[in-house]
Amino acid sequence: MPRDPFGPPIRVAVPAEFASEAALLTHLGMTAKELNKIRWHRGGMYQSFEIAKNKDKGRLISAPDDRLKHLQRQLLRLLDPLYTVRNPVHGFVLQRSVKTNALSHLRRSFVLNLDLQDFFPTITENRIVGMLEALGIGSSVAAAIGYLCCINGHLPQGAPTSPLLSNMICFRLDRELLNFAKVTRCIYTRYADDITFSSHRPMTALFEGPLPLAGHFAPNLLVPSLVALFAGNGFTINPSKAHYADRHSRRMVTGLKVNELLNVDRRYIRNIRAALHSVETLGTVGAQAKYEASGGSASLASHLLGKIAWISYIKGSSDPVVRSIALRFNWCFPDCKIEVLPTPIERRDRAVWVVEHDDGQGTGFFLNGVGFITAAHCVAGKKEVEIFHPSKHSNSFKAIVLKSDDDMDLAVLSHEIPATEYYKLDQAALPIATGALMIAVGYPKWAPGDPLNVRPGVVSTITVKSAVRLIEVTQKLTQGMSGGPLLDADGAVAGVIHKGGPEEGRDFAIHIDVLNSWLAAAAP
């Protein structure tokens, strides 16, 4: 059984194509002569160029030519089953990204970021060959894979096989850092060369002396055992990128803010707005010239499309900032408009808000053609309340109680909230019948960080109490959900949550027909 020279036996099934050099060459459709040519002349089969990384440094990309890229992609399919993804690894892994990496550390009070210096150049061809041999692949086949996947004695950044091979090389490092994190009660993740530890408590176990101030610090302040883990795996900590953040500072993970809600750096948003302002003031031609003068090479429109797509992926297309920027982009570039349409879940989540005043808290929602709806008992005795969306609870808006009826437990509130801040729900079009699926949503006893509470159930009966038509449902409608929408299977409003919970024994919503009749009767 193959063995990791530094660890326990590795149990992998080596594919038949790796059984011998001849089998590998047959699978790749190449001759021994071509392999030998690649071995000695591969330097000429790559095109190297730099892309901007930051103001002071670029990133060297070595892209293989079409023939070598084709061979590497065939190898990638064979190598992929040999690697078992560890939970902390988010870089170059299907369905994982910098977003999933950052989410692992969301709302952690203390964050430590480290960077592996010269990541790809540090992974030498000899290390690749040795790792493949440790997996049970013969030396001649391992050497052939090294020829096909390396340049100048190391992994090139730009080859299709490099991301997977780098993760395979880091397999033992990930295992050891994960064990270290468990002992020190931290969360550990890695995205390529970006290492992150986080915790709810000060990370005293990671530093030899007192905790450093928030900001950059010298790696020699870390405990020797942690530094030794990197050195023992052939890596060095980049001294210019060691960063520590505490609960009083901005906490970033792979470029994303993780303090409360996942967010992009505000400077990223500011740069997009500045570019759009250039278009609005200078016109597209003038703004393009300004962009090129600052080093831009593509069209400004495509550049901004990529940036807006990124913030939409991170924040969601229903986010007010994303929507306002997208609408502004559409005005600037009408020939390549961004479609500003939310998913049904995004629409629902952005339509339901928290209602708050000094006597309590409830839920409300925006209803198409009507306005902001809540339960009357959520605003009882109030002329004015605060409403806000939990994604940015510090940004609250005043709402005036426009109409209220205690008997029907319904209220309509007026507001001056910008249209980019919310979506509206539609009324149910189909009749409401016993046994129909219903979803109750709201914010019971909401606290910062709580997501929208979603409770599925079915209609148990439709009844009339005190001349008010009610929908009784099977799910529990807890205090704080009052005023929220009861949605049918299509996500349309079937009723307004009235009362329920363990103390009530039964759970009711006001039928949507009651709302319509009440509004019609109150109309001038």
Side-chain angles (χ1 to χ4, degrees):
M1 181 177 293
R3 295 184 65 89
D4 176 348
F6 306 100
I10 300 172
R11 294 175 173 82
V12 296
V14 176
E17 293 85 350
F18 288 164
S20 66
E21 183 179 312
L24 175 63
L25 295 178
T26 299
H27 175 75
L28 295 177
M30 62 186 301
T31 63
K33 183 177 180 180
E34 183 183 7
L35 176 63
N36 199 46
K37 181 181 178 181
I38 292 173
R39 176 184 181 184
W40 297 110
H41 302 287
R42 50 190 146 153
M45 302 179 75
Y46 288 85
Q47 180 182 2
S48 296
F49 54 91
E50 276 197 355
I51 61 173
K53 187 176 180 182
N54 52 49
K55 292 182 179 179
D56 305 316
K57 191 176 180 180
R59 187 189 299 275
L60 182 65
I61 302 296
S62 298
D65 63 20
D66 290 343
R67 172 59 177 166
L68 189 53
K69 185 183 293 184
H70 171 72
L71 296 172
Q72 290 170 348
R73 283 174 174 163
Q74 287 185 289
L75 278 174
L76 184 60
R77 287 191 284 269
L78 298 175
L79 291 167
D80 188 63
L82 301 182
Y83 174 63
T84 301
V85 180
R86 289 189 179 275
N87 287 333
V89 181
H90 292 261
F92 318 128
V93 175
L94 190 64
Q95 297 182 334
R96 298 188 191 179
S97 63
V98 294
K99 182 177 181 178
T100 62
N101 185 56
L103 283 171
S104 301
H105 305 278
L106 188 62
R107 291 190 286 274
R108 296 269 165 173
S109 301
F110 302 88
V111 175
L112 174 70
N113 293 310
L114 302 173
D115 181 86
L116 302 180
Q117 189 163 15
D118 299 325
F119 183 58
F120 282 100
T122 299
I123 302 175
T124 64
E125 186 173 340
N126 287 338
R127 291 181 70 181
I128 295 295
V129 173
M131 179 263 297
L132 294 172
E133 290 176 345
L135 291 173
I137 297 173
S139 57
S140 62
V141 176
I145 295 172
Y147 304 152
L148 293 168
C149 298
C150 296
I151 179 178
N152 299 328
H154 62 80
L155 276 184
Q157 187 164 358
T161 44
S162 291
L164 175 64
L165 288 171
S166 69
N167 276 344
M168 293 173 73
I169 284 290
C170 290
F171 187 83
R172 184 167 68 100
L173 174 67
D174 292 323
R175 182 187 66 211
E176 294 178 353
L177 290 178
L178 182 58
N179 290 335
F180 177 86
K182 288 179 179 178
V183 171
T184 56
R185 297 186 178 182
C186 294
I187 296 294
Y188 158 68
T189 65
R190 180 178 64 83
Y191 187 94
D193 54 353
D194 288 313
I195 307 289
T196 304
F197 293 94
S198 68
S199 177
H200 288 303
R201 298 182 298 180
M203 305 169 80
T204 53
L206 276 65
F207 293 92
E208 188 167 31
L211 288 171
L213 297 175
H216 293 286
F217 67 91
N220 60 13
L221 297 179
L222 296 168
V223 291
S225 58
L226 178 57
V227 177
L229 289 182
F230 292 104
N233 283 277
F235 294 105
T236 303
I237 299 173
N238 188 336
S240 66
K241 291 191 174 181
H243 188 275
Y244 180 68
D246 58 24
R247 60 164 60 95
H248 304 296
S249 58
R250 183 181 61 175
R251 302 184 289 283
M252 304 289 292
V253 177
T254 45
L256 298 176
K257 191 176 179 181
V258 296
N259 284 36
E260 277 194 25
L261 298 167
L262 202 64
N263 208 346
V264 298
D265 192 301
R266 65 181 61 184
R267 290 171 294 185
Y268 191 91
I269 303 289
R270 195 180 300 135
N271 290 339
I272 296 175
R273 286 173 170 159
L276 291 172
H277 179 71
S278 294
V279 179
E280 292 162 348
T281 55
L282 303 176
T284 54
V285 175
Q288 179 68 35
K290 182 179 178 181
Y291 170 61
E292 292 175 359
S294 63
S297 56
S299 74
L300 179 58
S302 61
H303 172 73
L304 289 174
L305 272 174
K307 284 185 169 290
I308 296 170
W310 170 244
I311 62 171
S312 179
Y313 169 66
I314 298 301
K315 296 169 73 68
S317 61
S318 66
D319 181 84
V321 172
V322 177
R323 293 179 68 201
S324 62
I325 288 177
L327 292 172
R328 215 170 145 187
F329 175 90
N330 291 345
W331 187 90
C332 292
F333 301 99
D335 294 335
C336 48
K337 286 186 175 181
I338 300 170
E339 192 172 19
V340 188
L341 291 176
T343 66
I345 291 178
E346 286 176 331
R347 186 182 183 192
R348 178 199 69 192
D349 290 0
R350 198 76 207 180
V352 184
W353 287 42
V354 175
V355 177
E356 188 174 57
H357 50 75
D358 52 7
D359 293 330
Q361 191 179 83
T363 302
F365 62 96
F366 294 90
L367 184 62
N368 203 7
V370 178
F372 189 82
I373 304 296
T374 188
H377 74 264
C378 292
V379 293
K382 305 295 178 184
K383 294 182 178 179
E384 184 180 281
V385 294
E386 298 283 332
I387 62 175
F388 59 85
H389 192 270
S391 64
K392 198 173 184 181
H393 63 272
S394 59
N395 188 23
S396 63
F397 300 87
K398 293 187 183 302
I400 307 298
V401 180
L402 195 63
K403 300 176 183 178
S404 180
D405 190 302
D406 293 338
D407 294 330
M408 297 184 183
D409 198 22
L410 292 171
V412 179
L413 279 57
S414 65
H415 61 86
E416 295 183 358
I417 304 173
T420 54
E421 291 285 335
Y422 62 89
Y423 284 116
K424 301 174 184 177
L425 298 173
D426 293 322
Q427 293 191 27
L430 299 175
I432 302 163
T434 301
L437 174 66
M438 289 288 152
I439 298 172
V441 295
Y443 291 101
K445 298 181 180 179
W446 181 84
D450 289 346
L452 182 66
N453 199 287
V454 179
R455 301 187 179 186
V458 297
V459 176
S460 56
T461 188
I462 297 175
T463 187
V464 176
K465 288 184 177 295
S466 302
V468 178
R469 198 176 187 196
L470 301 175
I471 305 170
E472 184 177 0
V473 291
T474 57
Q475 61 265 57
K476 287 298 174 187
L477 304 179
T478 314
Q479 183 182 4
M481 296 183 75
S482 297
L486 181 68
L487 305 174
D488 66 11
D490 295 324
V493 179
V496 181
I497 296 174
H498 172 47
K499 66 178 181 178
E503 294 180 0
E504 293 289 340
R506 300 176 73 180
D507 301 89
F508 293 105
I510 307 295
H511 199 291
I512 191 67
D513 289 349
V514 176
L515 174 66
N516 290 327
S517 299
W518 173 59
L519 292 173

